[in-house]
Amino acid sequence: MEEPRSLEECFASFDERWQPRIVTRVNDYDVKIAHVEGEYVEHVHDDTDEYFHVLAGELTLTLPGEGRSVVIAAGEVFTVPRGVSHQPSAAPGTRILMFEPRGTLNDGDLGGGTAGEAVS
């Protein structure tokens, strides 16, 4: 059984942007955290929804197929439904938490991203 973890200590253990780290697992899902800043690539997850919880800062998700953008502030959550193309961008200092099925790549259909490594 795991011991409690401090998210602050987990975030302090890395500084790469758009490179999620796995802090724990729930059933077949990874609970990931990431520092995010600037723009990330537009992508889609064909087989899974993507849950975003903004812990600090502000995350914008541009949803080209819907012709809109969603701004998620600290303390807010948003789920991108499976099959919906999205392009994240974030203000400096933004930190997010995500729930994704184990092994989900952060760049979805592009296939060159990372599924995240465990926080040490």
Side-chain angles (χ1 to χ4, degrees), residues 49-53 76-80 97-100:
D49 298 340
E50 189 168 21
Y51 168 90
F52 293 94
H53 181 159
E76 295 182 330
V77 301
F78 183 79
T79 300
V80 176
L97 182 140
M98 300 163 288
F99 287 94
E100 297 177 320

Side-chain angles (χ1 to χ4, degrees), residues 29-108:
Y29 280 75
D30 291 328
V31 179
K32 301 176 183 180
I33 59 170
H35 296 279
V36 293
E37 183 175 325
E39 287 190 357
Y40 194 61
V41 295
E42 181 181 337
H43 63 282
V44 64
H45 299 276
D46 290 324
D47 300 321
T48 186
D49 298 340
E50 189 168 21
Y51 168 90
F52 293 94
H53 181 159
V54 176
L55 301 172
E58 184 176 273
L59 179 70
T60 300
L61 297 172
T62 300
L63 309 169
E66 295 188 8
R68 69 182 182 125
S69 293
V70 176
V71 178
I72 312 160
E76 295 182 330
V77 301
F78 183 79
T79 300
V80 176
R82 72 186 71 204
V84 173
S85 183
H86 54 287
Q87 181 174 14
S89 61
T94 300
R95 295 176 171 186
I96 62 174
L97 182 140
M98 300 163 288
F99 287 94
E100 297 177 320
R102 191 168 297 165
T104 299
L105 298 178
N106 64 338
D107 68 349

